[in-house]
Structures are given as structure tokens and as C-alpha cells.
């Protein structure tokens, strides 16, 4: 926390998984709050993981109870926003419509509970189901609550999960952001990856593209890079958010394992975001 504060960050988000933060004793929770205060850092969001279509707790009902526990925790810790997931993937045998119906039912109950506590729920466009703009837009629209919005995770323009569509449709309901940057796979890999994701067999792919190219395409891993150095059009996303009246945090999502020294990338991200916000006339 000291290094983040020294860089100039004013807020921090706590990822609550895999740690069972909602089960922590009250004295330990208070110690975290006091530590944040000592570094003049505001807790802007708590980010647990839920999956209403593939319940990690064993049942749909327990998953909702876990969400409610984290709402209570957000109140106790003074966090105004709870980032939520609906699901990471659509289970086999479930239709898109059935999946959306389950998420809507869960998030309606969660939003009612969150409203009583004055905590906003921000559904992130994450995973292979909620990341599809049409799915996320329908879920948030159908829940129709002032206490359910979006945690926007911008993706590259032209990507199959084009997040500018979400900003256009739900700009006024975006409560939070997760900013990362990365490079897309080479063009020759993209169609192979897409076809494999929708269920094409290895045999058919090899027959069409050749064994060497298929193996290289399927072995490709996303390359996370420093903000501003990849293919995510952060300027356009932030510009559109500004025009929609967004007043929330621009939250740098730290680069994970193997990405180098965290403080180095955190400083580069801070400088990049601060400069971009100034250029766009947004108070940083």
C-alpha cells in the first residue's frame, strides 16, 4: 500500500478471491480499513467472484447468500461498489435465454438487498458469457435497478466482445472501470481460435489450416502490456464515458504473474491515465 500511495493513487480495490474476505473476523477487517486510512487510500470497490450458472458454493441460493455477505462487508469497510460476476461460462445444455433468466433473477434479488444497504453492484463484462455485449446489456436492462450497473473492462476495437457497444447502450449505468491493455493474436490465428471456441474439431481445423499453424494459434496466450501500448482504445472508451457523464474511478487493473515489477507498471499506468484524463478535460 505504501508504494501505491507514494505513486499518487488515491483509491484501491480489493479482490476478495480466493481469500474468504467475507468470513474474516471484525477486528481483522477493521485493521485493513485502518491501514488504508493510514496511507490516505480510499477503498473504492470490493471484487468477489460469483457464478450463478455454475455455483461455486454448491447452489444458486447459497451463491445469493454469499453476495449478500459481501454487500454487508462493503458497508462495514466503507466501499461504495461491489464488483460482481454473473457467470464465467454458459453450462452445457443451458440456452442463452435460460442463462440470462437465471442471472436476472439472482441480480434482481442482489440489487434489492444492495439498495437497502446503499451499495452499488457493478456487473463486469468478463468470462465467455457476460463479456458478450448483447448478453450484458440485456441482463442489466431487465434487472432495471439503480443499484445494478456495469464494471467496464475495455477490450480492443473490432474484438468479438466490443465493449464500446456497452458504453453506447449503458453509459449512464457504468459504475466502475477495470483498465488493462493487451495485444490481440496475429490475424492468421484469430479465425482458428474463434472456430475452436465454437466447437470445431481439431481434425477439421488441421485439414483446413495445417497442423503447424493450428498448433501455434491454439498455443497463443494473451500478451498483457502497459497501458497505452496495446490494442485497447482506452482514449475512445474514456472519451465516451466522459460524454455519458461518468464520474467514477478509472481503475488500473494490475498486471499479473510474470509481468515484471508491479510498482513499475503501476507508475506507468498512473502517469498514462493522469495524462489522458488531463487531455480529455477530466479531473483526475
Amino acid at each position: 500500500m505504501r508504494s501505491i500511495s507514494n505513486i499518487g493513487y488515491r483509491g484501491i480495490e480489493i479482490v476478495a478471491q480466493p481469500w474468504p474476505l467475507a468470513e474474516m473476523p471484525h477486528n481483522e477487517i477493521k485493521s485493513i480499513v485502518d491501514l488504508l486510512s493510514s496511507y490516505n487510500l480510499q477503498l473504492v470497490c470490493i471484487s468477489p467472484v460469483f457464478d450463478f450458472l455454475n455455483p461455486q458454493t454448491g447452489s444458486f441460493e447459497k451463491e445469493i447468500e454469499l453476495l449478500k455477505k459481501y454487500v454487508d462487508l462493503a458497508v462495514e469497510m466503507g466501499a461504495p461498489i461491489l464488483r460482481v460476476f454473473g457467470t464465467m461460462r454458459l453450462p452445457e445444455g443451458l440456452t442463452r435465454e435460460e442463462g440470462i433468466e437465471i442471472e436476472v433473477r439472482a441480480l434482481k434479488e442482489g440489487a434489492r438487498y444492495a439498495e437497502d444497504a446503499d451499495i452499488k453492484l457493478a456487473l463486469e463484462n468478463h468470462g465467455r458469457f457476460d463479456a458478450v455485449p448483447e448478453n450484458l446489456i440485456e441482463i442489466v436492462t431487465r434487472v432495471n435497478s439503480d443499484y445494478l450497473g456495469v464494471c467496464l473492462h475495455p477490450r480492443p476495437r473490432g474484438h468479438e466482445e466490443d465493449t464500446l457497444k456497452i458504453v453506447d447502450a449503458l453509459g449512464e449505468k457504468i459504475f466502475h472501470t477495470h483498465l488493462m491493455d493487451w495485444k490481440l493474436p496475429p490475424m492468421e490465428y484469430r479465425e482458428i481460435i474463434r472456430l475452436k471456441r465454437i466447437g470445431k474439431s481439431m481434425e477439421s481445423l488441421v485439414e483446413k489450416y495445417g497442423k503447424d499453424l493450428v498448433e501455434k494459434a491454439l498455443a497463443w496466450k494473451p500478451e498483457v502490456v502497459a497501458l497505452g501500448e496495446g490494442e485497447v482504445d482506452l482514449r475512445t472508451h474514456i472519451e465516451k464515458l466522459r460524454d455519458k457523464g461518468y464520474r467514477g474511478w478509472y481503475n488500473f487493473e494490475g498486471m499479473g504473474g510474470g509481468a515484471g515489477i508491479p510498482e513499475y507498471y503501476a507508475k506507468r499506468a498512473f502517469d498514462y491515465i493522469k495524462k489522458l484524463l488531463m487531455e480529455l478535460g477530466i479531473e483526475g
Side-chain angles (χ1 to χ4, degrees), residues 171 174-177 241-250 282:
I174 293 175
F175 296 160
H176 193 54
T177 59
L241 285 171
R242 177 200 65 190
D243 294 344
K244 292 283 189 176
Y246 180 72
R247 295 293 182 269
W249 290 81
Y250 294 95
I282 300 169

Side-chain angles (χ1 to χ4, degrees), residues 9 30 38 61 221:
Y9 285 93
K30 184 178 184 302
S38 72
E61 290 75 19
K221 300 294 182 186

Side-chain angles (χ1 to χ4, degrees), residues 19-134:
W19 307 281
L21 193 59
E23 305 298 332
M24 287 181 65
H26 295 290
N27 65 310
E28 291 185 20
I29 292 171
K30 184 178 184 302
S31 70
I32 295 173
V33 174
D34 290 344
L35 184 62
L36 287 167
S37 178
S38 72
Y39 288 111
N40 296 312
L41 290 168
Q42 181 178 337
L43 179 57
V44 302
C45 182
I46 298 175
S47 293
V49 175
F50 309 106
D51 195 321
F52 301 110
L53 305 190
N54 308 278
Q56 59 179 354
T57 53
S59 74
F60 175 82
E61 290 75 19
K62 288 181 180 179
E63 209 74 1
I64 293 175
E65 288 307 309
L66 182 62
L67 186 155
K68 291 178 180 179
K69 281 187 178 181
Y70 274 104
V71 169
D72 294 341
L73 179 68
V75 173
E76 184 172 358
M77 297 188 76
I81 295 172
L82 192 69
R83 188 288 315 271
V84 298
F85 289 157
T87 188
M88 294 301 291
R89 61 178 176 81
L90 186 68
E92 187 175 348
L94 209 64
T95 67
R96 171 188 178 273
E97 291 71 23
E98 290 169 334
I100 287 176
E101 185 62 40
I102 292 171
E103 283 201 43
V104 168
R105 184 155 53 96
L107 292 169
K108 275 188 175 180
E109 183 170 346
R112 284 194 294 268
Y113 191 85
E115 181 173 4
D116 290 340
D118 197 25
I119 299 294
K120 297 288 184 74
L121 304 182
L123 178 63
E124 186 170 359
N125 53 300
H126 206 54
R128 299 303 306 167
F129 189 71
D130 290 349
V132 177
E134 291 74 16

